Amino acid sequence: MPRQRSADTGQVWLLRSRGCWQAAAELLGDEPDSAVERAELLIEAAFFTGTAWDDAETALRAAEAVVRDNHERAAAACARGFLAYGATVLKVHDRLDEAQAALGRASALLPPEDPARPLLDFRRGLIAHDLVGDANAARTAYRRAHAGAEQQQDAHLLSYTWRQLAAIAQEDGNVAGARHGYAESLRLREETGFAVGLAPALASLADVSPAAEANQLRAEARRLTKAFAGTPVWLTLD
C-alpha cells in the first residue's frame, strides 16, 4: 500500500527483492509515508524470516504516530492488519481480531476507487482464506485485488493474487487452473526480479506438476531457499 517516494526506489526494490529488508529500510527518509513504507519492509522481513517481530512492531508504531491524512492512516492500518495476520498465521501470537479490525479501519478510510484498494482487498482475502477458512469470501477478495492490480499494472501484487487464486483452484480440484495461476505467479516474480519469492512460487507449481518436472522445481526451490539462508521459513519442501 505505501507509495514509493523519496529514496532511490530501484535500490530499495533491489535490496528488498534479495531479502535485505533492513538495508532497504535504511534508505528511506523521515517523511510519514516513508515511515509507513519502512514498517511494511520490516513486516515483510518478519513474515519471511520468522524473526524480528518486535522491530516490525516498533517501526509500525513509529509510522502510526506520524501519519497525517486518511491515505497515510489507511496505509498504516493496512500494514497493521498484515503484521497481525503474519503473527497469527505463523503462530507467534493469535491476533486475528486485531487483523480484521485494522483492515476494516483501513477500508473505512479509503474511497472506493483508491489505488490502495487492491492490496487491502488482497490482505482481506488472506485473512478469510488462511485464518477464517471462508474460501468464498477469500475468492471474492482475491478477484477484486487481482482486477485492481491488473488495472494498475502492479506486477508484484499480481504475482501474489495469481498465487492465491491458484491455491483456491487447487483446493477446488481444478488442477489446470491452479497450474496456470502458479505458472503466472512464477513468471511475474522472475520478470520483476523478486528473487526471495521464487522458491515458494516454484514449490507451489511443483505441487500441480508431473513428477519429473515437480522434482526439478523442488530442487531449484531448495537451492534458492538455501541461498537465502532458509528464507522463507514457512516453506515446506517434500
Side-chain angles (χ1 to χ4, degrees):
M1 179 180 284
R3 294 160 286 181
Q4 297 288 329
R5 294 156 290 272
S6 55
D8 181 341
T9 57
Q11 187 65 18
V12 170
W13 171 253
L14 183 66
L15 290 167
R16 175 190 178 189
S17 67
R18 284 156 176 73
C20 302
W21 293 281
Q22 183 63 50
E26 289 172 359
L27 293 179
L28 299 172
D30 298 326
E31 302 84 358
D33 49 2
S34 294
V36 177
E37 186 176 359
R38 183 178 296 105
E40 285 275 3
L41 286 169
L42 297 182
I43 292 166
E44 185 175 84
F47 182 70
F48 269 75
T49 66
T51 64
W53 294 98
D54 288 346
D55 291 344
E57 180 71 42
T58 297
L60 181 54
R61 287 182 179 175
E64 290 169 334
V66 297
V67 290
R68 304 158 299 187
D69 57 32
N70 280 351
H71 190 94
E72 290 171 355
R73 292 185 187 98
C78 188
R80 178 155 295 283
F82 185 54
L83 176 61
Y85 161 81
T88 305
V89 79
L90 294 182
K91 303 186 185 305
V92 180
H93 299 291
D94 184 352
R95 298 171 66 174
L96 172 58
D97 290 345
E98 179 186 355
Q100 291 175 312
L103 296 190
R105 186 163 63 252
S107 182
L109 288 166
L110 291 176
E113 302 303 320
D114 193 282
R117 281 275 172 191
L119 179 59
L120 175 59
D121 286 332
F122 175 72
R123 289 177 173 175
R124 297 183 97 167
L126 289 177
I127 290 173
H129 194 194
D130 296 334
L131 302 184
V132 179
D134 188 339
N136 288 330
R139 183 184 291 106
T140 299
Y142 290 149
R143 284 175 175 170
R144 282 200 306 266
H146 189 79
E150 282 188 322
Q151 184 177 13
Q152 295 177 19
Q153 298 183 318
D154 185 340
H156 182 60
L157 180 55
L158 277 171
S159 80
Y160 275 99
T161 56
W162 271 121
R163 174 179 169 81
Q164 294 307 124
L165 287 168
I168 288 188
Q170 184 178 0
E171 292 167 8
D172 290 342
N174 180 1
V175 176
R179 183 172 171 79
H180 175 69
Y182 288 138
E184 284 297 295
S185 178
L186 176 60
R187 177 184 66 80
L188 288 165
R189 291 184 177 193
E190 289 174 337
E191 288 182 357
T192 58
F194 188 45
V196 76
L198 289 177
L202 288 161
S204 294
L205 183 57
D207 287 342
V208 291
S209 296
E213 182 181 350
N215 288 338
Q216 292 177 344
L217 290 166
R218 290 194 182 98
E220 180 63 9
R222 289 190 190 95
R223 185 190 70 79
L224 287 167
T225 303
K226 183 177 180 180
F228 285 105
T231 303
V233 294
W234 38 262
L235 181 60
T236 300
L237 293 166
D238 297 333

